[in-house]
Amino acid sequence: MNFFTISAFIIYFPIGAGQSCTEIIENLHYSCMGRNLSYIPSRIPSSVQTLDFSFNDLKWLKKTVFPVFTFLRVLDLSRCHIRQIENDAFYNVKNLTTLFLTGNPIIYFAPGCLNTLYNLQRLVLVDIGLESLQLNINNLTKLQELNVGTNYIQSMTLPPFMSTFKDFSLLDLHANNISIIRTNHTVVLREIGKNMTLILSRNPLLHIEPGSFKGVHLVELDIRSTFVSFASKKQGLNGLHGLNVTRLMFGMYKDDPKLYPSDLDYFDGLCSIHFYEAYYYMKERLDWKMNIFRCMINATVVVVKGGVIRVIGYVPFHKIKELYLINTQLYTVPGKQLSHIRTLEKFVFTHNSATQVEKFLDMPKLQYVDLNSNQITLQSCCIDVLSGTPQIRYLNLSLNPQISLDKGGFEGLESLEILDFHHTKLLGIGSFTLLSNLKNLRYLDISYSSVTFVNVYCFYGLSSLKVLKMAGNSFQGDVANYLFNNLTFLEHLDISYCHVIEIHLTSFKNLQRLRHLNLRGNNLMSIDFLTDPNLKQLTTFYVNKNSITTIPLDILQKLPMNLSEFDLSFNPIDCSCSQTDFMLWIINNQRVLKQPENILCKTISPNSDFRVTDFDIDHCVYKKKLIIALLVFCVVFIVVLSILVYRFQFYLRYCWILLRGYRSPGQQECSYDAFVIFSSYDEAWVMNELMENLENGVPPIQLCLHMRDFQAGKSIASNIIDEGIMGSRKIIVVVSQHFIDSAWCRFEFELAQSRFVVERNANIIIIILEDVAERKTKKVLGLHKHLKKNTYLKWSRDPLSNMRFWIRLRKAIVAT
Amino acid sequence: MKTYFNMLLFLILGLVQMDRAHSQDPQWPLHTICNSNKLTVTYRSCVISDPLQDVGVSFLPCPNKLTDPTTVRIAFILRQSITEFYSSIKLFLNGLHVWGVDEPLCLPQFPRFTFCGSRRGEMITFEMLIKSKVDLPLKGDFNLMVHGINQDGFQIACVNATLSFW
């Protein structure tokens, strides 16, 4: 195998890897969506139960396309560009219960291609170009749902064999080409019997033959946006006479471009249909005289959504339980029209233009009132308008402009369990105790109600309250520390975005059942209150977007044991090395922390995000060790430096003298002919022999001797340099055993050599006074080398040698 | 001969790899909806995390004034189901946010639009007649960003449009 083969393999592998399917559940659920595959990958195990193969490229389904998947239940082949399906195409996956073929341009359906799927319950053939319901599916006796929406089907006639499909419950024919429904089209539908849902929405119906649905029982009929014209709509409803249906959905979708005129007789057809629930998706603008509910007085659920009504008249409902009026632009909450309807249990009136509420009188069964998203302003809430509704459990007045709560406003509403005022400006509640009689209240939402709490007894009496949401309000002084004392059953408390700076240690001391505490978006700097032993049930704690920089370790160790979700994100965390305990706790407790990736360090630059979880604790440990190492190094350095200073003290003095700007020797006249470097022990020889022969000889030679010529009061080093080395033309070195042992002699000799290096003159004259072992001359730096390279004089007592010695010495000194 | 074959294989696979890299160029083509003396509208589908998808948008007809009625038609193929569907529209002028609306189009209860409840693989076509009641004398380049999210947080569709008024 050579380079090119290996390279080819390396290139090809990533391509192949990109085509593998995603394993959703090991061995059971795989997704090959959007891989442009034209075959089923072999790595799909035979145990697979759900296979998503949508958005691929199969084109032609035959038996060989699918491996044997005995356990496959759900197969999604949406948008696979399938054009032909052969017989036995699904033989190897014959245990399917759900098959999706959505969006495939199928031009050839083999007669028996689906008939091998004996266990199929759900068949989706949406947008495949189907023209008829006459499918060859007689073996699918367990079929429950058939969705053939968005096709070109012209008749809703079902094949006769489907009358034996006892489980069949949903026929979805939305957005097809059905224009006429005749009596013989619904024969099979009638035989299937009860529990059927029929969806005919968005078909261009022209005509429904009267009697077509007589005796038909349906659970749901959807005919929204189904008629091509107003006339056909009117006739169509009349054509449905005799139908029994639980849920009737009619009207028009919001995005249907058609717009029909209002007509008083439009709804007459509804009176001949027997329905329990009516869902009217309205687009029309109705005149105030029209009574759209005339044919719905026997319904138990009435929903009207959309359109324009403005005003409704009196309706003699006598079975109604639920009434929904949504987005109909009504001006007033129709309390007057609904009063005395003793069967109504639920009233939903949302997204209208109502500004006022008429009183609800004599409605003993009304439990649920939802008036959110209107323009309601109430001066005194709430018993004034709800005095006839003693059983109300749910009251929603959220998303309205303003509500004033009065003292005694809830007397008579003791059954209330859920009260919602969120995003409605509330007056009165922050200053007075107004809710004390609501013993059964479990849920209270006054979020973003512009309330400032000044009274610590605002929630007095709410002994059953479990959920309290009051985000976006504020507290005066330390009211927050006492406000919750009576809420002993509270489980969920939301005081986010309330400008809270500090919470006292005992603020939540009575909340033994608290599980969820939300303090997001405040200005807290500490969470010490969380260590209260009474908060042991707490599982969720949100304190993100506060001003917490650090939490002491002793606090972290006392957090509630059940705490499983703790949000500390978006706080200015102090990520310095003095907080390594806190950093370590965060890093080790990411399982409990919510959004740990958003726990960011406080940084100088506002653009840089540094996560606490990315903080390197080892860096701090390393830093500490580095400091210790540096200290040790400094101490060692100082000691070594001291030793070196002592060792080289003479040289340092010499450098100091030079640095003081010593004058060039050329500028100074030499005082002596020669400077004599010798040991004190050799002084006798120097005085008796050297001085006698040189200074007393002819001509006389002036010598510089340290015991005679050095200036008193001047340092020895300075004398050596000034008078000796620099003040003499020549230097005579008297080498003896004592010379070798003398530190001063070595120093002087080395200084002499340095001058020699500078001036490049052979001005050092060495006299060997006595034989010195060669190994000892090496002790003196450079002496051994000097003796090797330069001629020296050797003293001897022999008269002849002695005479030659003095002649040579004198000559050397006199030489320039 | 063997070496020649391997070199050829290397070259072919290299080209395939290059082609694949090219096909993953992270930008959809620029579409022009309107190009008149008064108004120019172009748009490009955003690059959403895999799988990618383009969106078809058209104006019929192109309005000359804001008060002229026009039908906006949007079409795309769903890659995720939309039991719930939430839209977000933001309008920018010279980089400044000037208008925006977040609207839940499909909610579980009482679905209002034809496409509510549609499943993966279905073609969504949406038409809307728009007409302004006042003829604002708009000048300059506006950036319009529209995207929709389903109940699972998947971004279903996303469009960046530029409207230039002269």
Side-chain angles (χ1 to χ4, degrees):
Chain A
M1 184 166 289
N2 58 32
F3 167 76
F4 292 107
T5 305
I6 296 173
S7 299
F9 179 77
I10 291 171
I11 292 174
Y12 186 75
F13 184 75
I15 299 174
Q19 293 181 340
S20 64
C21 301
T22 303
E23 184 178 86
I24 309 292
I25 302 176
E26 187 180 1
N27 290 329
L28 298 179
H29 187 174
Y30 286 82
S31 173
C32 310
M33 178 184 178
R35 307 293 209 271
N36 279 322
L37 294 168
S38 57
Y39 61 94
I40 310 291
S42 58
R43 70 174 65 186
I44 304 290
S46 58
S47 58
V48 65
Q49 294 183 8
T50 301
L51 177 59
D52 176 2
F53 207 76
S54 56
F55 293 91
N56 280 296
D57 197 8
L58 289 177
K59 287 189 170 59
W60 188 358
L61 292 191
K62 42 200 171 185
K63 188 174 178 181
T64 55
V65 168
F66 298 109
V68 177
F69 288 146
T70 308
F71 304 100
L72 192 63
R73 296 289 180 267
V74 178
L75 177 60
D76 190 342
L77 299 174
S78 304
R79 297 280 164 186
C80 279
H81 303 107
I82 299 169
R83 302 177 69 85
Q84 298 183 75
I85 304 182
E86 300 288 348
N87 281 326
D88 292 338
F90 298 109
Y91 181 80
N92 288 335
V93 292
K94 58 178 179 288
N95 288 318
L96 284 176
T97 58
T98 302
L99 175 62
F100 298 98
L101 287 167
T102 304
N104 287 294
I106 302 173
I107 57 177
Y108 174 67
F109 244 111
C113 66
L114 295 173
N115 248 350
T116 53
L117 302 172
Y118 289 84
N119 292 313
L120 203 66
Q121 298 172 11
R122 187 178 177 200
L123 179 59
V124 178
L125 304 174
V126 171
D127 195 9
I128 64 169
L130 209 61
E131 294 180 359
S132 167
L133 274 176
Q134 302 306 306
L135 302 165
N136 213 326
I137 54 174
N138 51 289
N139 285 339
L140 279 57
T141 56
K142 299 182 181 178
L143 195 66
Q144 298 174 17
E145 294 181 17
L146 178 60
N147 187 345
V148 285
T150 318
N151 281 299
Y152 305 105
I153 295 169
Q154 298 181 45
S155 169
M156 63 170 287
T157 307
L158 290 171
F161 56 78
M162 284 190 70
S163 59
T164 63
F165 289 10
K166 296 306 177 187
D167 298 325
F168 196 64
S169 59
L170 171 65
L171 176 60
D172 188 341
L173 289 160
H174 77 266
N176 273 281
N177 265 347
I178 300 171
S179 58
I180 294 178
I181 299 179
R182 301 197 182 281
T183 307
N184 60 325
H185 295 168
T186 57
V187 170
V188 176
L189 206 66
R190 194 172 291 104
E191 290 179 6
I192 288 178
K194 299 176 166 52
N195 299 324
M196 269 287 298
T197 293
L198 177 61
I199 299 177
L200 288 169
S201 57
R202 292 194 285 150
N203 277 278
L205 270 178
L206 279 164
H207 178 70
I208 300 180
E209 182 181 357
S212 299
F213 287 89
K214 188 180 177 73
V216 174
H217 292 262
L218 298 174
V219 167
E220 181 175 313
L221 175 64
D222 186 346
I223 51 174
R224 287 177 284 172
S225 296
T226 287
F227 300 100
V228 295
S229 67
F230 173 76
S232 64
K233 185 168 198 172
K234 186 174 174 182
Q235 190 281 324
L237 286 180
N238 285 310
L240 290 171
H241 88 264
L243 170 68
N244 283 273
V245 61
T246 302
R247 283 191 301 277
L248 179 64
M249 308 177 82
F250 61 102
M252 299 172 76
Y253 285 104
K254 189 168 184 177
D255 49 324
D256 189 331
K258 299 192 290 287
L259 195 59
Y260 294 146
S262 309
D263 191 298
L264 189 62
D265 299 326
Y266 167 44
F267 301 102
D268 287 350
L270 291 177
C271 291
S272 57
I273 302 169
H274 188 10
F275 56 86
Y276 292 94
E277 302 176 14
Y279 297 80
Y280 179 24
Y281 291 81
M282 194 169 73
K283 280 192 79 175
E284 297 90 345
R285 174 184 293 265
L286 296 184
D287 186 89
W288 69 272
K289 295 177 182 176
M290 296 179 65
N291 191 340
I292 62 173
F293 303 109
R294 188 174 75 258
C295 297
M296 304 181 192
I297 57 177
N298 290 317
T300 57
V301 175
V302 172
V303 178
V304 179
K305 185 168 182 180
V308 179
I309 298 182
R310 299 298 189 191
V311 178
I312 62 173
Y314 172 71
V315 184
F317 289 117
H318 57 263
K319 291 184 181 178
I320 195 163
K321 290 186 177 181
E322 299 179 17
L323 176 62
Y324 299 78
L325 300 172
I326 300 170
N327 202 8
T328 58
Q329 302 191 38
L330 278 157
Y331 283 142
T332 305
V333 179
K336 186 187 298 182
Q337 288 84 346
L338 301 179
S339 290
H340 310 294
I341 298 181
R342 301 176 62 84
T343 59
L344 191 64
E345 296 175 10
K346 181 174 182 179
F347 178 54
V348 176
F349 185 96
T350 63
H351 296 89
N352 286 293
S353 307
T355 57
Q356 50 186 339
V357 185
E358 294 171 343
K359 295 185 178 182
F360 290 75
L361 301 173
D362 188 24
M363 304 177 74
K365 287 197 173 181
L366 190 60
Q367 296 183 26
Y368 190 108
V369 175
D370 186 349
L371 305 176
N372 86 75
S373 305
N374 284 290
Q375 302 295 324
I376 295 170
T377 301
L378 284 182
Q379 293 303 318
S380 54
C381 186
C382 292
I383 192 62
D384 279 16
V385 294
L386 297 170
S387 56
T389 61
Q391 295 299 323
I392 280 191
R393 298 173 188 267
Y394 178 99
L395 178 58
N396 188 340
L397 283 158
S398 59
L399 296 157
N400 278 293
Q402 183 172 297
I403 306 286
S404 292
L405 301 184
D406 254 6
K407 197 155 183 72
F410 291 97
E411 287 178 11
L413 299 176
E414 281 78 12
S415 299
L416 205 53
E417 294 178 14
I418 296 169
L419 185 56
D420 193 341
F421 288 115
H422 76 83
H423 286 90
T424 293
K425 187 176 181 183
L426 287 181
L427 304 181
I429 195 172
S431 307
F432 307 103
T433 306
L434 305 174
L435 310 170
S436 57
N437 66 307
L438 299 178
K439 307 294 184 188
N440 293 311
L441 195 69
R442 292 185 289 102
Y443 180 105
L444 175 61
D445 189 344
I446 51 176
S447 305
Y448 302 97
S449 296
S450 305
V451 177
T452 298
F453 287 90
V454 299
N455 182 359
V456 300
Y457 295 107
C458 294
F459 300 130
Y460 179 78
L462 301 179
S463 52
S464 299
L465 196 66
K466 292 187 176 181
V467 179
L468 174 56
K469 299 183 176 181
M470 48 192 295
N473 295 305
S474 60
F475 305 94
Q476 181 174 290
D478 60 349
V479 170
N481 297 330
Y482 306 98
L483 192 59
F484 314 110
N485 281 348
N486 296 303
L487 306 176
T488 54
F489 281 80
L490 200 65
E491 294 180 7
H492 186 125
L493 176 59
D494 180 353
I495 44 180
S496 54
Y497 298 98
C498 287
H499 313 291
V500 177
I501 295 175
E502 185 186 14
I503 291 184
H504 199 265
L505 285 173
T506 58
S507 298
F508 304 131
K509 69 180 194 292
N510 289 335
L511 308 184
Q512 285 97 342
R513 298 174 185 237
L514 193 66
R515 292 177 178 273
H516 309 281
L517 178 56
N518 187 348
L519 287 160
R520 172 185 295 129
N522 285 294
N523 298 307
L524 290 170
M525 289 186 281
S526 77
I527 58 166
D528 294 11
F529 57 89
L530 215 63
T531 60
D532 190 330
N534 292 311
L535 291 179
K536 57 183 181 296
Q537 298 289 340
L538 201 70
T539 58
T540 304
F541 179 55
Y542 294 157
V543 73
N544 47 313
K545 301 184 185 178
N546 272 271
S547 302
I548 294 170
T549 57
T550 184
I551 302 177
L553 198 59
D554 57 322
I555 301 296
L556 294 170
Q557 288 167 346
K558 294 180 185 173
L559 294 182
M561 200 160 300
N562 290 323
L563 194 64
S564 60
E565 201 173 3
F566 183 9
D567 194 341
L568 199 55
S569 55
F570 300 108
N571 276 287
I573 304 296
D574 179 5
C575 294
S576 61
C577 286
S578 60
Q579 304 295 335
T580 49
D581 288 337
F582 185 38
M583 303 295 112
L584 214 52
W585 186 89
I586 290 178
I587 291 171
N588 292 335
N589 288 272
Q590 295 188 49
R591 172 184 46 83
V592 174
L593 292 166
K594 185 177 162 72
Q595 305 187 82
E597 69 278 0
N598 283 325
I599 302 180
L600 306 175
C601 299
K602 176 176 59 179
T603 54
I604 297 173
S605 168
N607 292 322
S608 67
D609 282 340
F610 189 78
R611 299 171 180 165
V612 171
T613 50
D614 294 335
F615 187 82
D616 188 4
I617 296 288
D618 294 335
H619 174 75
C620 290
V621 176
Y622 171 78
K623 195 171 179 180
K624 199 170 294 184
K625 291 179 179 177
L626 184 64
I627 291 172
I628 294 173
L630 279 175
L631 285 176
V632 171
F633 176 77
C634 286
V635 171
V636 170
F637 178 77
I638 291 169
V639 169
V640 170
L641 191 63
S642 300
I643 293 172
L644 289 177
V645 166
Y646 178 79
R647 170 73 176 79
F648 298 102
Q649 54 182 313
F650 303 127
Y651 302 96
L652 292 174
R653 293 187 196 184
Y654 177 51
C655 291
W656 173 247
I657 291 167
L658 291 180
L659 284 173
R660 289 187 308 172
Y662 192 83
R663 285 182 298 169
S664 171
Q667 302 172 3
Q668 179 180 329
E669 197 66 28
C670 294
S671 305
Y672 305 93
D673 293 305
F675 171 58
V676 184
I677 301 175
F678 62 95
S679 169
S680 301
Y681 293 97
D682 298 328
E683 185 173 338
W685 182 86
V686 169
M687 298 297 290
N688 296 331
E689 296 285 350
L690 193 65
M691 198 167 68
E692 283 295 326
N693 279 278
L694 296 180
E695 289 195 338
N696 294 335
V698 178
I701 294 175
Q702 186 67 43
L703 297 179
C704 178
L705 304 174
H706 63 259
M707 69 279 194
R708 182 186 71 180
D709 300 307
F710 278 1
Q711 297 180 26
K714 201 171 179 181
S715 70
I716 294 175
S718 297
N719 275 318
I720 290 172
I721 296 168
D722 294 340
E723 305 298 336
I725 294 174
M726 308 308 293
S728 306
R729 292 189 299 105
K730 301 290 182 179
I731 297 172
I732 298 173
V733 180
V734 180
V735 176
S736 68
Q737 185 61 53
H738 302 297
F739 175 89
I740 299 296
D741 295 334
S742 171
W744 278 112
C745 289
R746 292 200 299 268
F747 174 61
E748 289 169 348
F749 179 68
E750 284 162 0
L751 286 183
Q753 286 192 100
S754 66
R755 180 184 171 190
F756 166 77
V757 168
V758 171
E759 297 188 3
R760 301 290 175 183
N761 287 336
N763 57 352
I764 299 177
I765 304 168
I766 298 180
I767 298 173
I768 306 296
L769 200 60
E770 61 187 356
D771 281 332
V772 180
E774 182 167 317
R775 57 184 173 80
K776 292 203 174 185
T777 60
K778 293 180 180 178
K779 286 178 64 179
V780 180
L781 185 66
L783 178 61
H784 180 70
K785 186 182 295 182
H786 192 88
L787 293 177
K788 288 276 186 183
K789 293 184 175 180
N790 297 277
T791 305
Y792 58 88
L793 300 174
K794 193 166 184 180
W795 164 256
S796 172
R797 294 194 177 275
D798 180 42
L800 185 58
S801 300
N802 191 295
M803 180 181 295
R804 186 160 53 244
F805 171 85
W806 291 116
I807 291 172
R808 293 176 66 192
L809 179 58
R810 181 176 291 272
K811 186 175 180 182
I813 294 171
V814 173
T816 59
Chain B
M1 187 60 184
K2 183 180 178 184
T3 301
Y4 173 79
F5 172 78
N6 286 325
M7 288 182 68
L8 188 63
L9 183 62
F10 177 86
L11 186 64
I12 292 172
L13 289 173
L15 288 174
V16 170
Q17 183 74 344
M18 286 174 59
D19 179 66
R20 177 164 290 264
H22 178 73
S23 68
Q24 292 174 357
D25 185 20
Q27 225 175 21
W28 286 106
L30 187 71
H31 302 282
T32 301
I33 304 175
C34 296
N35 197 358
S36 71
N37 293 336
K38 294 287 187 176
L39 171 66
T40 301
V41 180
T42 59
Y43 78 92
R44 194 193 301 268
S45 296
C46 316
V47 174
I48 310 175
S49 61
D50 214 63
L52 305 177
Q53 172 169 266
D54 204 353
V55 176
V57 183
S58 64
F59 282 8
L60 292 172
C62 289
N64 285 316
K65 294 182 294 182
L66 289 188
T67 50
D68 292 344
T70 187
T71 299
V72 181
R73 189 173 190 272
I74 299 173
F76 57 94
I77 294 175
L78 275 184
R79 292 193 157 239
Q80 299 289 341
S81 303
I82 50 172
T83 306
E84 299 171 36
F85 191 52
Y86 304 89
S87 71
S88 172
I89 304 174
K90 290 182 170 59
L91 188 65
F92 300 87
L93 175 60
N94 297 329
L96 293 176
H97 182 261
V98 296
W99 176 78
V101 62
D102 294 326
E103 179 101 18
L105 299 180
C106 300
L107 291 173
Q109 203 181 35
F110 310 137
R112 287 235 54 193
F113 290 92
T114 53
F115 48 81
C116 294
S118 296
R119 267 200 81 265
R120 180 211 338 260
E122 298 192 34
M123 171 79 73
I124 302 301
T125 58
F126 172 66
E127 291 186 6
M128 183 171 57
L129 180 69
I130 56 174
K131 185 178 75 167
S132 176
K133 294 182 176 179
V134 291
D135 188 15
L136 299 172
L138 297 176
K139 300 293 181 185
D141 293 336
F142 290 82
N143 282 107
L144 188 69
M145 184 178 293
V146 183
H147 72 271
I149 297 173
N150 77 346
Q151 67 282 352
D152 298 318
F154 281 103
Q155 196 152 222
I156 297 299
C158 184
V159 169
N160 272 322
T162 301
L163 296 81
S164 302
F165 295 89
W166 314 98

